[in-house]
Amino acid sequence: MYIHAVSHYLPTAVVGNEHFTRLNGLSSDWIIERTGIEERRKAAPGENTNTMTIDAIRRLQPKADLATVDLIVGATYTPYDTIVSLAHEAQHMLGIADIPVVSISTACSSLLNAIEVVEGYFALNKASRALVIVSEHNTAYNNDEDTISGHLWGDGAAALLITKERQSDDDFEIMGLLTGGAAHTPKATTGVTMRPNEGGVAMPFGRDVFINACQYMPKASLQILERCGLTLADVDYVLPHQANLRISRNVMNTLGLPEEKLISNIQRLGNTGCAGCAIALSEQWDTFQKGHRIVITVFGGGYSFGAMLIQK
Amino acid sequence: MYIHAVSHYLPTAVVGNEHFTRLNGLSSDWIIERTGIEERRKAAPGENTNTMTIDAIRRLQPKADLATVDLIVGATYTPYDTIVSLAHEAQHMLGIADIPVVSISTACSSLLNAIEVVEGYFALNKASRALVIVSEHNTAYNNDEDTISGHLWGDGAAALLITKERQSDDDFEIMGLLTGGAAHTPKATTGVTMRPNEGGVAMPFGRDVFINACQYMPKASLQILERCGLTLADVDYVLPHQANLRISRNVMNTLGLPEEKLISNIQRLGNTGCAGCAIALSEQWDTFQKGHRIVITVFGGGYSFGAMLIQK
């Protein structure tokens, strides 16, 4: 299984920390110290997870033949429409008849769950060229005045073409992939929530989310390396879920890897949910060299986690 | 792949057609003539897709060993929480650590997409005992005063244990399963919508939904029979998505099958979304005899469709 191409879309409006200083009295230094976030993007009126899906696909079209896509998997926890899901919007745009189309959510860890769903369709021989779209419109459900988590969130989307067979020398091979739920832990169902009818996104137990993210991402990373018969010495980069720069640094520290191996965009984009890692992969795509190995590891509310090893 | 057990949960409050007569002036006879619906269930305050998930699982526990479940797939388009999805809620309740957990939506057709995701995990040998939960809280997002579709919706949930190997003589074997998106059709992304931040569920082009449902469900049914080397003469029952009794009758008519072979609960429950077929299967479970073959076929907004042939 290969990642043949990836693209991303970011809304143009930039929201700096001073917005939250004005609203909530949180200083920019305090926000940066606690989260690493300097600014984030905010979707314009009329933009949503479905329009950002279309924008991400438009940017993928020059890089990949999407006319032969035979599976679409979308992911979001900030849906514009739960019936006309972003996967349906993508199919409508591409005009491909009667292929399997599904949207999923495991919160911020959905990118890897979406790719694992693709892996299943490939194993069944029900598909061989899958379009995966991750799109988050956090600001549609966020309360900017929430002093606990209002300043964390940003908007953005990414699209990936995943193929069963190698398409080009530049493809990333997916060497291994695992996902898991950690909802058995005590505060998993209350730590961070997104209830459309009850005020949107909230993080009553941020510390519990932080602790579990810092435990699960290194654990899953080591597990996927072991399954692939590799060690940390074989890893060029780690791309963790972009939730908080302190979590990312904690993950690198636990793994004993230097910060030069950390890929991060949270400083500029905030927490873009399940789109974060895919946006980062898209932003950095041209900088990777043949043979480079990246561990992408995610943790999301609910809780869920995952790790994927890819090699160029 | 087998359906070992199924259970369902229905809220206790019954809403008769007279509620809509009072609100909108629609007579009960008119509603019955147009939809077949005589009454529907409405979740109580405090109930939601996650609580109904727990209630459905409680009813499944006496029928199946859930302690060894190694995959959970939830489905809903009327989520209580998109981060703490109903699959996470189920994992939290069962307390099983680190298994894959994901929630999906392809609107009313999600039951079959969820089972197809399970099929993929089974093919990958990443799971062998999957809990599937379908849960809809339509009344949380419905406008009762909408004279076009306000009277259609009901609440309910179901849970199924799907296993890779046969567990008992009473299991239904899944002989074949297909799903597809039909979002390439012109009104697919506007026919029926569920936008949490824009007034909830609406059906601006109900006639287009009706026409496509009547075309896709028979087509998918014939396709799955052909793939299994069977014909309509081999089918004992058809269980279509419970959207509208006129659609169900139209499907039977197109297939040339008598109404005695139609399984239907929409008269009592309204359109319970992706839960409808699973609730009906649970309600009728004890009436099926060894050798009985059922085609379950679905159509959902977005649009999506699917068909599954099962044999006891």
Side-chain angles (χ1 to χ4, degrees), chain A residues 77 81-82 88 91-92 98-99 101 103-106 116 119 121 126 140 177 181 183 193-194 197 216 304, chain B residues 77 81-82 88 91-92 98-99 101 103-106 116 119 121 126 140 177 181 183 193-195 197 216 304:
Chain A
Y77 60 78
D81 194 318
T82 61
H88 294 97
Q91 187 193 15
H92 191 66
D98 299 351
I99 58 171
V101 160
S103 285
I104 68 154
S105 173
T106 56
E116 199 166 51
E119 192 184 22
Y121 274 90
K126 287 189 171 186
L177 167 61
T193 59
M194 210 311 270
N197 281 341
Y216 269 101
S304 276
Chain B
Y77 59 78
D81 194 318
T82 60
H88 293 97
Q91 187 194 14
H92 191 66
D98 298 351
I99 58 172
V101 160
S103 285
I104 68 154
S105 175
T106 55
E116 200 166 50
E119 192 184 23
Y121 274 90
K126 286 189 173 187
L177 166 62
T193 58
M194 208 313 269
R195 298 173 185 159
N197 281 341
Y216 269 100
S304 277

Side-chain angles (χ1 to χ4, degrees), chain B residues 49-109:
Chain B
T49 44
N50 285 20
T51 65
M52 290 192 286
T53 290
I54 291 170
D55 287 315
I57 292 173
R58 282 211 184 103
R59 285 159 173 74
L60 191 62
Q61 281 174 321
K63 304 178 187 182
D65 173 19
L66 302 186
T68 52
V69 158
D70 54 13
L71 170 65
I72 302 175
V73 182
T76 188
Y77 59 78
T78 53
Y80 172 60
D81 194 318
T82 60
I83 283 184
V84 183
S85 83
L86 54 89
H88 293 97
E89 192 72 55
Q91 187 194 14
H92 191 66
M93 176 197 180
L94 295 174
I96 305 170
D98 298 351
I99 58 172
V101 160
V102 63
S103 285
I104 68 154
S105 175
T106 55
C108 289
S109 66

